[in-house]
Amino acid sequence: MALIFQSIKDKLSGVPKEDRMKIQGISLGENIDKFEAQLIARGWVKDSDIPKSMKLVAKSFSGIFNRKKADLILHYNIVLRNIQFVAISYERTSQEEATMQNQENITKIIETYGISPQTQPNVTVFEMRHGRIACSVEYDGCGRYGAVMIYTNTPNNDKYFEPGYSEF
């Protein structure tokens, strides 16, 4: 039954599971339970569940991303149990340090994937074959800034990536 359900989800999204974007080698095509187990196996610590709405919920983790302390917010559909998008936020700091980290993120994505970004106001977007990565510097309202990266698969990216979107 699970194989049938997964193949239906793949058919609906038009993206086979093995072609989905990955974070630390974990496919965004996994269901929430498998993704969470793989995160924990890689050293991430679960912080909390974050209620959002009846259909979209989130889980929070802390750990290391690109050799730096970061928080990871995993948004998923509570009914289908599929991942909608993943947001990674580096530790809060000064605007200058967050801007430098954001530029590091952009450079690493360019080097890793060999693609050029689209620059929009306050966000740099990388259109990938089966998804999108957005990099920005976000202000938390308490005098601190953080570099943020949001990863999503097609077809979710249009819904969750709007200019100025911020989870933090």
Side-chain angles (χ1 to χ4, degrees):
M1 184 69 162
L3 276 175
I4 294 170
F5 188 61
Q6 182 62 48
S7 67
I8 290 170
K9 288 196 319 188
D10 288 345
K11 193 74 115 181
L12 288 173
S13 73
V15 182
K17 183 177 169 182
E18 60 274 7
D19 287 341
R20 304 235 176 137
M21 293 185 63
K22 294 182 172 116
I23 293 179
Q24 291 191 330
I26 308 169
S27 170
L28 295 186
E30 298 289 355
N31 74 30
I32 181 63
D33 302 312
K34 287 182 182 178
F35 194 96
E36 181 176 7
Q38 290 181 52
L39 273 179
I40 291 169
R42 283 170 173 74
W44 289 86
V45 176
K46 184 175 178 189
D47 295 329
S48 63
D49 291 344
I50 305 167
K52 296 296 280 180
S53 70
M54 292 301 285
K55 288 189 177 181
L56 185 66
V57 292
K59 295 182 181 214
S60 173
F61 298 85
S62 56
I64 303 297
F65 191 80
N66 290 335
R67 298 181 306 275
K68 295 190 178 153
K69 187 176 176 185
D71 295 317
L72 185 145
I73 310 293
L74 180 59
H75 293 263
Y76 65 100
N77 182 298
I78 197 166
V79 176
L80 298 175
R81 310 228 15 106
N82 64 330
I83 296 167
Q84 298 295 300
F85 66 93
V86 175
I88 297 168
S89 175
Y90 289 92
E91 192 170 29
R92 295 299 187 212
T93 184
S94 69
Q95 184 175 14
E96 182 179 311
E97 289 174 358
T99 300
M100 286 174 33
Q101 178 62 57
N102 188 54
Q103 190 55 53
E104 264 183 54
N105 296 341
I106 291 167
T107 301
K108 184 158 180 98
I109 293 167
I110 291 169
E111 290 171 357
T112 301
Y113 297 103
I115 59 173
S116 297
Q118 299 172 3
T119 303
Q120 300 174 6
N122 303 320
V123 65
T124 301
V125 178
F126 294 87
E127 292 290 345
M128 313 287 281
R129 181 174 170 208
H130 295 304
R132 186 181 286 177
I133 302 173
C135 299
S136 64
V137 173
E138 301 291 341
Y139 179 66
D140 70 359
C142 299
R144 298 172 302 171
Y145 294 82
V148 176
M149 292 187 299
I150 302 176
Y151 292 72
T152 189
N153 282 320
T154 302
N156 300 327
N157 58 15
D158 290 333
K159 184 173 181 182
Y160 296 105
F161 280 103
E162 300 168 1
Y165 175 86
S166 175
E167 183 58 33
F168 301 96

